[in-house]
Amino acid sequence: MKKHLFRISRFAILLLSLTGITNWVWGADTPAIIPKPVSLELLKGSFTLNPKTVCYLSQDSLLTDWNIFQKDIFKATGFTIPIKGSSRPHEKNIIVLHTLTQLDTVLGKEGYRLWVSPEKVEIWANTSAGIFYGLQTLLQLLPPEVESHEHITGQSWTIPCVRITDYPRFQWRGLMLDVSRHFFTKQEVEAYIDEMARFKFNVFHWHLSDDNGWRIEIKGLAKLTSVGAWRVSRTGDFGTFEPPQPGEPANDGGYYTQDDIREVVAYAAQRHITILPEIDVPAHSLALIASYPNLSCTGLPYAVNPGSPFYRWLDNVLCTGNDSTYIVLDTIFAQIARLFPDPYIHVGGDEAYKGFWAQDPRDQAVMKAHGLHTLEELQSYFEKRVEQIVTSHGKKMIGWDEILEGGLAPEAAVMSWRGIQGGIAAAQQHHDVVMSPWGHCYLDLYQGDPLVEPKTYGMLRLDSCYLYDPVPPGVDSSYILGIQGNLWTEHVPNLRHAEYMTWPRAMAIAEVGWTPLAEKNWVDFIHRVEALFPRLDAQQVKYSTSMYQPIIQAVRDSLTAELEAKLSTQVPGLTIYYSFDGTNPDNFYPAYPGHPLPFPKGATELRVVSYRGAQRMSPIIVITKDQLRQRF
Ligand code: ACM
């Protein structure tokens, strides 16, 4: 029997890339799976799903997992595969899902084994989560058309014969969606969760409150949703908008009722995704303060911020010396704890401007009474009280890494976003950590050249996501729960753009979270990303192809100190063509020679474009000499 081992293919890629030959030829028959399984053996032959295929479940409890797979394949295939209790020996054309009666210690809580032979597909796992992930892999083994929203005729639904053993590297593989800066409906959130499930994410962090909208119904605090969920409507460049005008209706926004929340929690749970709810306090609280102005130090009346510059210096912070703050938070966290079955509640804690605490007699009284010397210690006092509230409702607290400052609450977990130092410090103090450093995990940053991308800030190219390792050197990895990508939505006003910002970078994060470090390989990953794009097309999920763009950097000639343009690409196998004469380059123009380009005398702009062979892969990027100079 002819076997292709995955390892051999990787060796082939390495050889090809070392010899300068592109790898685009090698992988036609290697199944493209993201995240890459721990081990995959490609066998000869294939299984064909057809109207006569039958499914066997070892336990009724696997029905939900199967039903989601059945639903995912139904539109394209039209097949309703009958389910039976136990298969006969030698029966053919069957899919068998088994949960193991004896623990398979290799697989752990989320792993699976998948064996596809011409006669049958079998998945084994210790848990239904493992079965679900096996089914997600099976979906990726089917032709991309299986994701189509329309019935496809004449397609052979073949699955290559493989033997896979697979389990995740980390227990926490998360994505965060900010629904405050822009509101996303329940259906949109579920669509986002659907796509997360495809890539074996298991935590959806729901950023439910911020300065620009409160998004969850809390019984007994009606103003949170009658006032806090709504702002005046603005369109365009968030952050520069005109503040609310007198008498202007606040009709832009929305919130989730508690029934909505229960529905989304159940929807996610069926896909083995837990939901981490975040109520961001003590700062980022303007929507809460707009609803209940007595909770801030100043007590000033505010409207929910529609995306304007702050009216006063970040007066979006709760007063720490006001009992009402803790009474309101107790009401909120008590209900959150009941609505979300998962162990953690995220309490924010980031970017608290503390200037008002320094002036407020109530905050000052707290500092005096508790012997606190700094405002950081005052925030720590606040966080410890919040932790008591959270634990009194049976939950664990997690917060952004600012909660470390002034002393970490006894049991708190930390989400490290400003870099990795917070995560390192928390792990050294024996606290659990989720790594989410902005430079590797912030999906709201640019993923290509700002000259051709929708406006945002900062830069996070696909390779920076992929090449990240969440376990810092010297840190006890048992404290690193995992990795999370965060999508803040100041500049993300709709689901299509949320998808564009998320994919493919979240595929990289999925693979960092799942695949063993030693199995990661950038060139191989890119190949699989490209192979998966047609699936997203079939699903009608938007994604970015910015990874193909030329990267333009400013350098100086070592002798003359003249400004030069250094060009490169993240994706191997591309050629960059350029012009300085104001015309649009194509693949008949000069190719980048591999060393920086000086501007010819009189030239004021450079135009660049990337190609693979004769296929254009990027937009033309036009950069003036002045713009390039600003890149130093
Ligand atoms: C954050 O990005 N402020 C957590």
Side-chain angles (χ1 to χ4, degrees), residues 365-424:
V366 170
M367 290 185 71
K368 202 159 166 215
H370 295 272
L372 308 176
H373 303 294
T374 65
L375 294 170
E376 284 69 31
E377 285 174 1
L378 182 57
Q379 176 161 356
S380 171
Y381 160 87
F382 172 84
E383 302 297 348
K384 285 173 186 152
R385 285 197 67 172
V386 170
E387 183 178 57
Q388 279 167 6
I389 294 172
V390 167
T391 50
S392 77
H393 297 296
K395 297 290 175 178
K396 295 195 248 182
M397 167 173 134
I398 186 167
W400 300 112
D401 57 63
E402 286 93 331
I403 67 169
L404 275 155
E405 293 168 2
L408 196 49
E411 303 295 328
V414 168
M415 200 168 263
S416 192
W417 76 275
R418 288 179 297 177
I420 61 171
Q421 285 313 322
I424 294 172

Side-chain angles (χ1 to χ4, degrees), residues 19 68 100 179 181 212 224 248 265 274 305 309 439 442 457 496:
T19 51
I68 289 171
L100 295 159
V179 295
R181 272 51 178 270
N212 315 98
L224 288 176
E248 194 180 1
V265 165
T274 62
N305 187 310
Y442 268 34
Y457 69 105
R496 294 299 285 174

